[in-house]
């Protein structure tokens, strides 16, 4: 199944993180500079009082998320 999914994806389907970032809390496929593909989303870091601590960031380990270069929306299958 996973092999089939990647066969359908085209290079043009990927969006560069330089061009655009996904909306907060929207799950997407993300690709790292070494070719790892994962499902992740972005969030805005806040302290326990709700104060914003910075720009939006990817969920996940800092080493992995720092290497994300491209992402694409997850398209759900059509139900017949």
């Amino acid at each position: 199944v996973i092999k089939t999914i990647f066969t359908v994806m085209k290079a043009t389907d990927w969006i560069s993180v330089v061009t655009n970032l996904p909306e907060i809390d929207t799950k997407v496929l993300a690709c790292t500079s070494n070719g790892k593909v994962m499902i992740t989303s972005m969030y805005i870091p806040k302290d326990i009082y709700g104060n914003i601590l910075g720009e939006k960031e990817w969920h996940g380990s800092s080493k992995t998320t720092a290497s994300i270069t491209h992402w694409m929306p997850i398209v759900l299958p059509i139900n017949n």
Side-chain angles (χ1 to χ4, degrees), residues 40-70:
T40 188
S41 62
M42 298 199 84
Y43 72 100
I44 295 178
K46 298 179 181 178
D47 66 16
I48 60 171
Y49 303 106
N51 298 314
I52 295 174
L53 299 176
E55 301 292 321
K56 61 182 176 178
E57 300 177 6
W58 294 102
H59 280 281
S61 73
S62 59
K63 181 179 179 182
T64 301
T65 59
S67 67
I68 293 174
T69 61
H70 291 78

Side-chain angles (χ1 to χ4, degrees), residues 17-33:
V17 297
V18 174
T19 305
N20 196 10
L21 292 171
E23 297 295 321
I24 300 298
D25 294 328
T26 301
K27 291 190 188 241
V28 298
L29 288 176
C31 183
T32 65
S33 57

